[in-house]
Each structure stands twice: as C-alpha cells, then as structure tokens.
C-alpha cells in the first residue's frame, strides 16, 4: 500500500497502479489488503467492472458472501452479459447456498462463453449440490412403515386448549435471556468429516460455553459470542453437507471405478468433477506433464464406462482430449496436440455440439499458429467466427487472424482484420484488446509503407498503453514509433535530394545550350583562313598598283 493514498486530496497514484497492487496482494492471499487497494482504485474509477469483480473475489475468500454478491451485481449494471461478472455472481450465490439461482447464472454464462470450462464445472457442481439437498427419487419415496407417533403427538397438541396463568417475572426474564446454540445434525463421525479442522474449534467453543456463568454480565457477553461462533459453524456444516461432492466428501466405501456394481450416477459425476478440477489446477500452475498423466488415467477410467453410467459421457471425453491437447501444446509437441484437438472436434461434429466445436476449432488454430502453419490457422479460425458468442471473443479471433496474415506477408488483409478487431473491442469496451488491435493496424501500415498512418496508429497505441499502465507495451511501442519516425525523416530527405537533382538538371541543360551559341559566334578555323587569304590578296594588289605608278612617273 502507498503511504500517501489516504492523505488529503485523495489517492496520489493511478487506477492501474492500485488495481495491479490489489491483484498481487490477492495472489499472495492478503485479501484484506487487496480490498483496500481495490477500494482506492474504485475511488478513481467507481464503476470499473473488472475491479468490482476482483474485490468480489476477495470478499468471497473471506466468507463475506453478501458483499461479494453486491460487487458482482454492480459489475453487471452496464453490461448484463459481462461474463466475468456473471461467473462471480454465480459463485457468490453458490457460496450463499442459493444453488438454484447459481445454476441459472452458470447456464447464462455458459451460453455466452461456451469455451470457458469454469461455467461447465459450475453447472455440474451446482446441479450436484441441488441433488444432494433435495435427494434422489429413490431416497425421497414415502412409505407407511416406521414410527408415526410424531404425527399423533402433533394432533394431541392441537386438541389441547391453551392455558393462561401467571409466571414470576424473574423466571420469565431468565428464560428469555437463556440462549442455546443450534443442535448437531447427524452423528459425531459425520460432523467431524464435514467440519474437518474446524471440528476442534467447535469442541473448544462448547467447552468454553460451559466454563462461564451466563448470569453475569461478562458471562452473557462471552456466551453470546461463543453461541454466534457455534451457530456459524453449524450453518457452514449444513452448507458443506449439501455440497458434499465439492468441498467435504466423505470417504466412500466403494471407489469410483468403471463398471462397478451398484454405482450411482452421482458418484461418477463426483469423480469426473474432482479429476477435471485437479487437471485444470495443474495446468494453471504450469505442471503440464502432471496434468497429462492425470488426464490419461481419467481417460482410461471413463472409456471403461457405458453411456448409461454418465449421461454426457461424450462431453467428458471431449473435455479430456482438449486438456491433453493443451498440455501437449505447452510442451511444444504440436503433432500430438493436433491429434487430441482433432479428436475433440470429431466428437463435437458427431454429436452436433456447437460449443465443443467452437472450442476445438479455437485450440486447433492456436496449434497451427504456434507451429507456423498460418494459413491453416486462418482457415479454422474463420470457420469458428460465426460461432462467436460475444464481441470479446470476436475481437480475439480477428486479431489472431490478422497476425497470421501479417506473418504471411498479406498486409492489406492484416490491416482489414485489425480494424475489425478494433471495432469488436470497442463494442466489448475492452481496453486491452483495443491496444492489441491498434498495434496490429500500425504494424500493417508500416509494412504497406504508409508511415504517417502508422505513426498515428502507434501514437494512439502509446496513449492506451500509458492509461493501462502497461510498461512493457509502452516501451515496445516507443521503439516502434522511433523506427517509423526515422523512416519518415529518411523519406523526406530522399524527396529533398530528388528535388535538388531535378532543379539542377535544367541549369546544366541551359549551360549546355549556351555553349554551342558561343562557339557559333567565334570564327571557325576556315573563316580565319579565308580572312587571311583575302588580306594577302589585297596586299599584293596594292603593291602592284604602287609599282605601276612608280613606273609611270619614271
């Protein structure tokens, strides 16, 4: 936290700084401090939906579900289809025990972003929590057998006439003041399994409750605090009992194995959800080889099941193939990655499942692009475009297609897709993808030789990077902008030299034309000789005339 953030005049840093600080604190598990940073960031941008979602996550980690729900709801005010807000709202509702409404919002998010696995897992866990709360049809059958004395006692109470009498005020006061914690549900063994490490805390609180006299003022205060804690543990125990498949599984006597006799669909689903969560966690933490081993093991198990065992068996297989393809991609084993993503696509085509097909095409495009097969990547991403469910998904697709065209030297196509990506990013109001699209347009303009247009695009990109606090992008754009400016300067120098050359050419031509004229004014050698000859003849004639005159005088 910055020392001056709460000083007079409000926050001194930028929104991006406080948001990034909050994100780092959240990753470190410092949820309270993260909330403080998010609060400061929201002072600068009160309606920023991403920051509201981040703060909601912190509240959820601290068990403050109502505040988590309120932030998630606030993030959806301007855009009801904001997928991060929908997911966070579903998570908050789930944690509040409202599984039915959580399921509604998981489904809504899944419809908008079918390629995101968290929505699919959310649907499965919410559905299972509902099943555990309500019970299966077999468990809910009513029979005439058993002890029906309870109903007889209820009838007796109704038939009794109310009695009126006087009770001592002191007794009434004492009875009103006495408060008991909520009772246990089930056996002690079950309670231990549900509460886990918190069971020791429960025992300590119960012991503490007996040690203090509730008739004293201090005893009353301690009594109320302890009972509040016990009630909270009781509520959480009941909540965990309902959603047992996710957080508090009891150790089953029969392991979930393919073909096991008497196995229920619920147990199969429990196994699938648990394994998929483990695989996702391993990949999120970069443990791709481990995730591959878990995927292979789970795949062999599921392949041994019949279609009757799990209603969506084909979708489970597709999810596993997709996870294995992603693991191989991160391990740079492109051929194997293509093989498993193609299996995912084959299942999607066979069962005509659009969201599976969209995911498979997405992943195939990423493999082709990473392996340098840019035209193949363009082909599959172009096929995926009509399946896009949101502007955010479209902006990513147009950008990646444009990048491939840029790599192939098709700069006009790259620019066109960059502009489409920018339009979709503006519709989605996503600043990160606006920046990416703007940079792509600028790079295409450079390749087309439109340096001034590229300069404008890079300057817009630089402003976006500064606003987002993306230092790495800012530095890269500055360098690209310097290169473009240098090319513009070099181009201007070249034009200036060309103009000077063109101006010098007519002067040289006029000089060349002037030189022959001067030469024409000069006497040629033949003219000079002719003049000499004429001069010599006149001289001879004069000499002859002089001689004749002298002879006449004589």
């Amino acid at each position: 936290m910055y020392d001056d953030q709460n000083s007079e005049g409000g926050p001194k840093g930028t929104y991006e700084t406080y948001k990034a600080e909050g994100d780092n604190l959240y990753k470190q598990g410092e949820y309270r401090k993260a909330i403080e940073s998010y609060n400061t960031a929201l002072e600068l941008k009160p309606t920023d939906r991403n920051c509201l979602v981040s703060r909601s996550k912190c509240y959820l980690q601290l068990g403050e579900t109502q505040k988590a729900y309120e932030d998630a709801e606030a993030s959806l005010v301007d855009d009801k289809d904001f997928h991060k807000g929908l997911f966070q709202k579903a998570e908050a509702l789930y944690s509040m025990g409202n599984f039915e409404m959580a399921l509604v919002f998981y489904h809504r998010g899944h419809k908008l972003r079918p390629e995101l696995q968290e929505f699919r897992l959310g649907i499965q866990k919410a559905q299972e929590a509902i099943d555990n709360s309500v019970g299966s049809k077999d468990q809910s059958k009513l029979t005439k057998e058993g002890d029906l004395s309870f109903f007889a006692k209820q009838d007796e109470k109704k038939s009794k006439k109310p009695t009126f009498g006087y009770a001592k005020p002191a007794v009434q006061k004492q009875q009103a003041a006495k408060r008991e914690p909520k009772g246990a549900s089930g056996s002690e063994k079950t309670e231990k399994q549900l509460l886990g490490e918190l069971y020791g805390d429960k025992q300590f609180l119960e012991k503490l409750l007996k040690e203090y006299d509730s008739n004293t003022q201090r005893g009353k205060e301690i009594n109320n605090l302890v009972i509040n804690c016990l009630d909270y543990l009781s509520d959480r125990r009941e909540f965990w009992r309902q959603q047992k498949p996710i957080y508090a599984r009891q150790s089953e006597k029969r392991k979930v194995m393919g073909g096991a006799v008497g196995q229920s669909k619920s147990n199969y689903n429990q196994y699938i959800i648990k394994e998929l969560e483990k695989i996702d966690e391993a990949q999120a933490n970069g443990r791709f080889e481990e995730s591959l081993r878990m995927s292979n093991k789970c795949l062999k198990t599921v392949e041994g099941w019949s279609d009757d065992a799990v209603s969506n068996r084909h979708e489970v297989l597709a999810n596993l193939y997709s996870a294995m393809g992603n693991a191989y991609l991160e391990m740079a084993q492109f051929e194997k990655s293509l093989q498993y993503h193609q299996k995912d696509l084959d299942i999607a085509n066979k069962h005509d499942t659009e969201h599976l097909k969209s995911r498979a095409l997405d992943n195939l495009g990423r493999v082709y692009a990473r392996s340098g097969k840019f035209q193949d990547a363009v082909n599959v991403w172009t096929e995926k475009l009509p399946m896009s469910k949101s502007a955010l998904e479209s902006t990513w697709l147009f950008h990646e297609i444009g990048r491939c065209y840029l790599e192939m030297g098709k700069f006009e196509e790259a620019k066109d897709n960059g502009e489409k990506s920018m339009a979709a990013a503006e519709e989605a109001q996503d600043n990160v993808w606006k920046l990416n699209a703007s940079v792509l347009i600028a790079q295409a303009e450079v390749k087309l030789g439109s340096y001034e247009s590229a300069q404008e695009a890079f300057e817009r990109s630089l402003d976006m990077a500064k606003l987002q606090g993306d230092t790495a992008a800012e530095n890269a754009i500055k360098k690209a902008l310097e290169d473009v400016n240098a090319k513009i300067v070099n181009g201007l120098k070249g034009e200036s030299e060309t103009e000077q050359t063109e101006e010098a050419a007519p002067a040289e031509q006029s000089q060349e034309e002037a030189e022959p004229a001067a030469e024409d004014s000069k006497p040629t050698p033949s003219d000079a000789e002719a003049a000499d000859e004429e001069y010599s003849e006149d001289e001879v004639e004069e000499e002859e005339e002089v001689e004749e005159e002298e002879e006449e005088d004589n």
Side-chain angles (χ1 to χ4, degrees):
M1 300 290 293
Y2 291 95
D3 293 334
D4 60 345
Q5 73 177 40
N6 292 320
S7 61
E8 291 185 10
K12 303 299 182 184
T14 63
Y15 163 81
E16 288 77 11
T17 303
Y18 292 117
K19 174 70 166 60
E21 183 184 46
D23 293 341
N24 288 331
L25 289 167
Y26 176 83
K27 290 176 184 176
Q28 296 167 14
E30 299 284 349
Y31 303 121
R32 287 290 178 199
K33 291 181 180 179
I35 288 172
E36 291 177 15
S37 294
Y38 291 137
N39 288 342
T40 311
L42 285 166
E43 288 179 24
L44 299 169
K45 289 188 179 181
T47 60
D48 185 83
R49 57 188 188 178
N50 290 304
C51 194
L52 286 167
V53 167
S54 298
R55 190 171 69 176
S56 175
K57 290 179 180 178
C58 292
Y59 282 132
L60 209 56
Q61 291 291 338
L62 294 169
E64 298 179 29
T65 53
Q66 185 59 38
K67 289 183 179 179
Y69 174 80
E70 289 169 2
D71 274 353
E73 186 74 10
S75 73
L76 294 167
V77 170
D78 295 328
D79 182 7
K80 298 296 182 185
D81 294 334
F82 178 45
H83 73 279
K84 292 181 181 178
L86 286 172
F87 180 75
Q88 192 57 30
K89 184 175 180 178
E91 290 284 280
L93 287 166
Y94 183 84
S95 296
M96 294 166 77
N98 194 343
F99 305 125
E100 292 84 357
M101 287 305 297
L103 183 62
V104 169
F105 285 98
Y106 283 131
H107 271 295
R108 189 174 296 177
H110 179 65
K111 185 178 179 181
L112 291 169
R113 296 295 300 273
E115 75 280 3
L116 297 179
Q117 186 150 320
E118 54 258 36
F119 285 117
R120 290 196 296 275
L121 292 175
I123 290 169
Q124 289 177 324
K125 72 179 183 181
Q127 187 61 61
E128 251 185 69
I130 292 169
D131 291 341
N132 283 330
S133 300
V134 177
S136 65
K137 292 179 180 179
D138 295 335
Q139 294 172 336
S140 303
K141 285 182 179 178
L142 296 176
T143 65
K144 295 180 181 179
E145 298 174 359
D147 184 9
L148 302 179
S149 60
F150 169 79
F151 299 101
K153 289 178 181 178
Q154 292 295 316
D155 292 337
E156 287 177 10
K157 287 181 181 178
K158 289 180 182 177
S159 62
K160 285 183 179 179
K161 293 182 180 180
T163 58
F164 301 96
Y166 175 78
K168 291 182 180 180
V171 175
Q172 288 181 342
K173 185 177 179 182
Q174 184 178 358
Q175 289 175 347
K178 193 173 181 181
R179 186 178 162 209
E180 297 291 337
K182 295 179 182 179
S185 174
S187 66
E188 184 180 356
K189 181 180 178 183
T190 302
E191 196 159 2
K192 280 183 180 179
Q193 291 171 330
L194 289 170
L195 289 176
E197 295 178 358
L198 293 176
Y199 185 74
D201 296 331
K202 180 177 179 292
Q203 287 183 312
F204 170 77
L205 290 169
E206 288 174 342
K207 184 179 178 182
L208 191 64
L209 191 62
K210 295 175 183 178
E211 291 179 356
Y212 284 90
D213 184 5
S214 60
N215 293 321
T216 64
Q217 184 61 32
R218 179 170 176 76
K220 287 178 183 178
E221 292 175 0
I222 294 174
N223 182 280
N224 285 330
L225 288 172
V226 171
I227 289 176
N228 286 338
C229 293
L230 288 170
D231 286 348
Y232 173 79
L233 288 176
S234 179
D235 291 340
R236 301 313 293 173
R237 177 196 63 220
E238 187 62 21
F239 173 65
W240 288 326
R241 183 189 67 77
Q242 291 175 351
Q243 57 173 359
K244 183 187 69 172
I246 307 303
Y247 298 110
R249 294 183 181 87
Q250 298 179 11
S251 54
E252 305 289 345
K253 292 181 181 180
R254 295 170 295 179
K255 292 182 179 179
V256 179
M257 295 296 291
V261 179
Q263 196 69 281
S264 67
K265 284 188 178 182
S266 177
N267 286 337
Y268 286 112
N269 289 332
Q270 290 174 34
Y271 173 77
I272 291 166
I273 292 172
K274 181 177 74 173
E275 292 304 309
L276 287 176
E277 285 178 345
K278 286 180 180 178
I279 292 165
D280 282 347
E281 182 187 1
Q283 291 197 357
N285 293 319
R287 305 194 307 271
F288 300 110
E289 291 184 3
E290 181 183 341
S291 77
L292 198 57
R293 287 194 298 271
M294 289 190 291
S295 299
N296 270 312
K297 181 182 177 182
C298 185
L299 181 64
K300 289 178 182 177
T301 302
V302 176
E303 284 177 339
W305 295 347
S306 64
D307 289 336
D308 295 334
V310 182
S311 57
N312 60 341
R313 178 174 174 271
H314 71 278
E315 194 165 339
V316 175
L317 291 172
N319 287 339
L320 289 169
Y321 288 141
S322 178
M324 294 170 77
N326 289 335
Y328 278 123
L329 174 61
E330 297 301 326
M331 294 163 64
Q333 297 186 32
F334 301 124
E335 290 302 321
K336 287 186 176 180
S337 180
L338 284 173
Q339 176 187 346
Y340 282 100
H341 285 311
Q342 186 61 49
K343 286 183 178 182
D344 183 16
L345 182 60
D346 292 341
I347 290 175
N349 288 329
K350 181 180 178 181
H351 294 272
D352 194 22
T353 312
E354 186 176 287
H355 73 269
L356 293 181
K357 184 176 181 180
S358 176
R359 179 188 64 191
L361 290 172
D362 184 354
N363 288 329
L364 283 169
R366 290 195 301 121
V367 179
Y368 283 132
R370 287 272 292 272
S371 58
K373 297 178 180 179
F374 300 113
Q375 187 58 58
D376 291 331
V378 168
N379 293 341
V380 295
W381 278 332
T382 303
E383 185 180 353
K384 174 183 163 64
L385 266 173
M387 303 176 196
S388 174
K389 300 295 182 183
S390 66
L392 191 61
E393 187 177 2
S394 296
T395 189
W396 179 84
L397 281 169
F398 283 126
H399 179 271
E400 295 306 300
I401 291 171
R403 288 291 311 169
C404 289
Y405 277 128
L406 196 68
E407 294 292 338
M408 291 190 289
K410 298 181 179 181
F411 306 127
E412 283 290 352
E413 289 86 346
K415 178 185 172 185
D416 180 57
N417 278 277
E419 290 170 348
K420 290 177 180 177
S421 178
M422 175 62 80
E426 288 175 350
E427 182 184 347
Q429 297 182 346
D430 192 291
N431 293 328
V432 174
W433 282 107
K434 283 182 188 178
L435 173 59
N436 293 334
S438 182
V439 170
L440 174 59
I441 293 168
Q443 290 173 326
E445 294 282 17
V446 170
K447 295 295 183 181
L448 290 167
S450 304
Y451 298 126
E452 291 184 359
S453 299
Q455 183 187 37
E456 291 176 5
F458 274 130
E459 285 174 350
R460 285 196 302 270
S461 304
L462 185 60
D463 291 339
M464 292 180 192
K466 287 178 179 178
L467 285 172
Q468 295 175 31
D470 192 337
T471 307
E474 191 177 338
N475 293 334
I477 292 167
K478 282 180 180 177
K479 187 176 183 305
L481 197 54
E482 288 174 3
D483 293 340
V484 171
N485 288 332
K487 288 179 180 179
I488 291 173
V489 171
N490 290 335
L492 292 173
K493 284 183 179 178
E495 289 177 5
S496 177
E497 290 174 359
T498 304
E499 288 175 1
Q500 290 176 2
T501 304
E502 289 174 354
E503 289 173 0
E508 291 177 1
Q509 184 178 358
S510 61
Q511 185 177 354
E512 289 173 358
E513 290 174 354
E515 285 176 357
E519 289 174 356
D520 291 341
S521 65
K522 291 179 182 179
T524 61
S526 57
D527 291 337
E529 289 173 1
D532 288 340
E533 289 176 0
E534 289 177 2
Y535 174 78
S536 300
E537 289 175 358
D538 292 340
E539 214 172 34
V540 172
E541 287 177 358
E542 286 178 1
E543 287 178 357
E544 288 177 352
E545 287 177 358
V546 171
E547 288 177 358
E548 287 177 358
E549 287 177 359
E550 286 178 356
E551 286 178 357
E552 289 176 359
D553 292 337
N554 292 330

